[in-house]
Amino acid sequence: MDARGTDEAVWRAARLPELLPSLALPAGPVLVVAAHPDDEVLGFGGTIAALRHAGARVHTVCLTDGEASHGPASPAARARLAARRRDELAAALGDLGELPAPVHAGLPDTALDAYEDDAAALIGRLLDAVGAAVCVAPWEGDLHSDHEAAGRAARRAGRDTATPVWSYPVWMWHWARPHDPRVPWHRAAVLPLAAEAAVRKRAALARFASQLEPRSAGAGPVLPPQEIAHHTRAFETVLR
């Protein structure tokens, strides 16, 4: 992911909102799943803001604390980063609207595939508890093992509870290109964002300083400007 990815200008030229169907906001409570603190805002934050503006109930669950985002580190350093990322997420969700506190599962970062059963069980319990009409989760083809595990867990929980699942890509915009055959474009749709929702999302993304700052003298940020550009469009994309 540190390699140079697809420039946002390439995606703009693809005119996805003209090619893909548009979705209306889901009716009823929504549960948004993230593998790491920031995934839910990157992939679905504008729609979360729009849902809250419309009066919909939105609940979030974050499966890991993202403590491994800066690479090898001591247990104490990882614990500090985990706490920082939890605080960043709380602030970011506050920017999107009045939301319940996120559920933190505390599963191991970069090892979520080994805890997929636990994640699916938790997501299933939450879907039942909130009476979710839709579950929204990372795409299981995102080429990040934690995102893929979170997506598979959500799909399983959705099947078990008869809840529709929408998937949002995060890293796909980095490694894919328009018409990429690895992407199931036939399942894709866009959710247009009103100006206020887009502004709220930008403010929320700015809260993730740990991901926007250089990780060390030799490593740039996890989310450099060219990646943030993929997630500050006037629409969001989901795969159904």
Side-chain angles (χ1 to χ4, degrees), residues 117-197:
D117 290 345
D118 299 285
L122 173 60
I123 295 167
R125 291 194 298 271
L126 291 172
L127 290 172
D128 281 337
V130 307
V134 175
C135 178
V136 184
W139 177 41
E140 59 269 35
D142 209 37
L143 296 188
H144 184 301
S145 62
D146 282 351
H147 293 190
E148 294 177 352
R152 290 191 300 266
R155 288 280 172 193
R156 191 193 316 177
R159 287 193 297 269
D160 291 345
T161 61
T163 306
V165 177
W166 294 359
S167 301
Y168 58 84
V170 175
W171 286 108
M172 184 193 88
W173 306 114
H174 175 88
W175 54 259
R177 294 181 68 84
H179 310 295
D180 193 311
R182 295 170 292 178
V183 179
W185 295 109
H186 65 284
R187 291 171 45 201
V190 298
L191 290 146
L193 299 179
E196 180 183 351

Side-chain angles (χ1 to χ4, degrees), residues 29-45:
V30 176
L31 177 68
V32 184
V33 178
H36 316 99
D38 72 7
D39 292 336
E40 60 284 274
V41 180
L42 287 162
F44 205 68

Side-chain angles (χ1 to χ4, degrees), residues 91-120:
L93 293 179
D95 285 331
L96 298 179
E98 188 175 343
L99 292 160
V103 173
H104 288 283
L107 299 173
D109 189 11
T110 72
L112 194 53
D113 50 354
Y115 294 84
E116 200 171 309
D117 290 345
D118 299 285

